[in-house]
Amino acid sequence: MNVDIGNALATVASPGVSRASLERLDSQVAAAHERIERGMENREHGYESLNLPQRTDPDEIRAAVEPIADAEVLFTVGIGGSSLGAATITNALESDTETVFLDNVDPEWVTSHLERISLENAAINVVSRSGTTAETLANFLVVRDAFESAGVDWTERTIVTTGEAGPLRDLANRHDLPSLKVPDGVPGRFSALSAVGMVAAAVCGHDLEALLEGAAAERETLTGSLFECPAYAYGATAYALDKRGAGVNAMMPYAESLETYAEWFAQLWAESLGKDGLGQTPVRALGVTDQHSQLQLYRAGPRDKLVTFITTQEGTDRGIPETDVSELAYLGDATLGELLAAEFEATEASLAAAGQPNVRIELERVDEYELGGLLYGMEAACVLAGELYSVNTFEQPAVEWAKKATRGLLGGGEFEEAEAVADKTELRVER
Ligand SMILES: O=P(O)(O)OC[C@H]1O[C@](O)(CO)[C@@H](O)[C@@H]1O
């Protein structure tokens, strides 16, 4: 990935970040990079994620998925980091295999998928690092039951990716299911380039080596200066802008195929940096669509945002037919790709003209190599930002409260959090 932070620099019109302060920040980046390199060398928790391009074994993954490689539909049952990485890769790339990501427990939605798909030609990819996530286990029990009701032997159509131990590991052992391990030291949201994100990619026939090569190439750019390393340039600029009031980061790829990537980024950025009252709020947007919903706010609303654009240089294009409507003649001479590019250039310039900081991230095209680089680059940008914020990038203790309350409410044990739910202050306004 290439990163252009030009529109994030301070100008008369824009409260961005000055070149001088970026140079001052670069010494912190150098120190942070040393810390990151040390963490990678020592395979420390979290930092180990940045070693995945060298650790992940595509042959092991392909061998494990072999029994279900013929699936026409793949249900991935997992949530958060156990779903978003795989969904980002498979939703960005073409495949004959349909992928369904069951990362919610909305009964109507789950049922609609199970009823519309013939389960004979389907398979189950159940993923949970902890092996204890309620939503994932509940959905797995529901899907398994649906397979049984359809007379399909789920033990022949299921692959499990989970940790060393836990209920899901026990189930895999008990039924001798094909399984893979979530690598040690790799938090969910940093696991896209491991079996967690790549089992679905393998079943869909995607080029696992190219994904890892793209990531490895990005790894080679990790040096101690934001002026040499695209990932660090992005992480440092986002951090510096947040320090100057840009508490919101709108991730706006100009490619439908990258819509799920914006969801993946939202978990990475929010769950990693949202600590100790700090953090930058990620917002999922999509170009050009959100020019017609969010742009008004991004351009004329509060100066509290960084807008991050993702653009691609190449891709399939399609001509816009000629028309005899004179007002539309300018369209007839163009293609959809040219219109998309013009809209991006115009939107980027409109924010710069309004003094709204924005950053451009460029990919050659949307393919495995570039996706591997983007995922790795943004993970490295996040790890660097975590060092600059001085937060523990790799834990997410704040999510445990609601999990305990949920278990308590369902009779899964005594939890003070569950009692606190009953103490809700009410001020109902009824129709
Ligand atoms: O992979 P697991 O353990 O099922 O967790 C799923 C997701 O839930 C979280 O723990 C948050 O609740 C995320 O960090 C993680 O990606």
Side-chain angles (χ1 to χ4, degrees):
M1 69 178 198
N2 297 326
V3 174
D4 179 346
I5 58 175
N7 278 352
L9 294 179
T11 63
V12 178
S14 162
V17 57
S18 69
R19 174 87 196 205
S21 54
L22 270 183
E23 275 149 16
R24 279 194 303 278
L25 184 59
D26 206 29
S27 58
Q28 286 179 267
V29 169
H33 175 62
E34 271 177 36
R35 173 70 191 89
I36 293 169
E37 285 280 325
R38 194 168 67 249
M40 292 168 71
E41 271 152 43
N42 302 334
R43 305 189 67 174
E44 289 178 43
H45 178 70
Y47 300 99
E48 171 67 358
S49 313
L50 298 178
N51 290 328
L52 285 176
Q54 288 73 36
R55 302 256 188 269
T56 299
D57 177 359
D59 293 328
E60 180 198 23
I61 295 171
R62 279 189 291 266
V65 304
E66 213 285 320
I68 61 167
D70 62 347
E72 291 171 13
V73 180
L74 181 71
F75 287 98
T76 294
V77 182
I79 200 164
S82 288
S83 175
L84 289 166
T88 294
I89 296 169
T90 57
N91 289 351
L93 304 168
E94 296 291 323
S95 171
D96 298 336
T97 306
E98 178 188 350
T99 53
V100 176
F101 289 88
L102 296 181
D103 63 352
N104 199 345
V105 288
D106 175 327
E108 289 172 0
W109 176 72
V110 172
T111 302
S112 69
H113 285 298
L114 291 174
E115 288 181 351
R116 77 175 171 81
I117 292 166
S118 79
L119 302 181
E120 289 72 32
N121 311 316
I124 309 170
N125 171 31
V126 58
V127 189
S128 176
R129 183 171 186 275
S130 62
T132 60
T133 300
E135 298 91 340
T136 299
L137 298 185
N139 270 342
F140 176 64
L141 295 174
V142 166
V143 172
R144 183 177 76 169
D145 190 54
F147 270 61
E148 281 179 348
S149 306
V152 180
D153 180 350
W154 64 272
T155 64
E156 298 290 319
R157 308 299 294 160
T158 299
I159 182 168
V160 172
T161 303
T162 190
E164 197 81 60
L168 211 44
R169 176 57 60 193
D170 299 345
L171 183 126
N173 296 342
R174 199 172 333 122
H175 296 278
D176 191 25
L177 302 175
S179 72
L180 290 159
K181 212 168 100 20
V182 177
D184 294 336
V186 177
R189 56 187 173 277
F190 289 90
S191 65
L193 297 164
S194 75
V196 172
M198 296 172 80
V199 161
V203 174
C204 291
H206 298 315
D207 185 342
L208 306 186
E209 279 79 3
L211 273 165
L212 295 171
E213 283 157 18
E218 211 64 38
R219 194 252 175 277
E220 291 312 305
T221 72
L222 299 190
T223 67
S225 170
L226 71 93
F227 295 106
E228 294 163 9
C229 169
Y232 289 170
Y234 182 73
T237 302
Y239 165 81
L241 286 170
D242 180 30
K243 291 294 164 194
R244 288 163 181 74
V248 173
N249 186 340
M251 179 55 72
M252 192 169 185
Y254 269 68
E256 278 282 335
S257 60
L258 293 178
E259 187 170 15
T260 309
Y261 156 78
E263 282 186 55
W264 171 86
F265 175 82
Q267 182 200 14
L268 179 75
W269 218 245
E271 214 171 65
S272 301
L273 306 176
K275 291 156 188 157
D276 314 331
L278 301 171
Q280 193 176 46
T281 304
V283 168
R284 295 138 57 179
L286 183 66
V288 304
T289 314
D290 287 317
Q291 287 172 214
H292 303 272
S293 65
Q294 313 280 324
L295 185 57
Q296 172 64 34
L297 171 77
Y298 295 171
R299 189 156 194 265
R303 293 243 168 116
D304 61 355
K305 291 174 202 63
L306 157 64
V307 176
T308 304
F309 296 113
I310 311 268
T311 65
T312 57
Q313 310 305 310
E314 299 166 19
T316 309
D317 203 348
R318 190 181 183 93
I320 301 172
E322 299 271 332
T323 166
D324 55 7
V325 180
S326 57
E327 294 97 303
L328 301 181
Y330 74 100
L331 287 177
D333 299 339
T335 67
L336 287 181
E338 287 162 351
L339 177 57
L340 181 79
E343 299 231 30
F344 160 68
E345 303 260 349
T347 300
E348 182 189 45
S350 79
L351 292 182
Q356 288 288 9
N358 57 87
V359 167
R360 174 197 295 204
I361 294 176
E362 296 167 343
L363 305 181
E364 289 297 316
R365 66 196 72 74
V366 178
D367 65 9
E368 286 93 334
Y369 185 88
E370 292 289 303
L371 266 178
L374 177 66
L375 292 167
Y376 188 92
M378 296 314 273
E379 288 174 3
C382 186
V383 173
L384 176 91
E387 298 298 324
L388 298 176
Y389 280 108
S390 299
V391 295
N392 179 342
T393 306
F394 305 116
E395 298 304 337
Q396 59 289 329
V399 301
E400 297 309 319
W401 198 105
K403 291 184 183 180
K404 287 180 185 161
T406 300
R407 283 188 68 171
L409 292 172
L410 294 175
E414 298 294 314
F415 296 95
E416 61 190 72
E417 289 84 357
E419 278 128 43
V421 173
D423 299 343
K424 176 186 174 330
T425 310
E426 282 218 348
L427 173 53
R428 297 172 57 79
V429 180
E430 299 201 351
R431 199 174 52 184

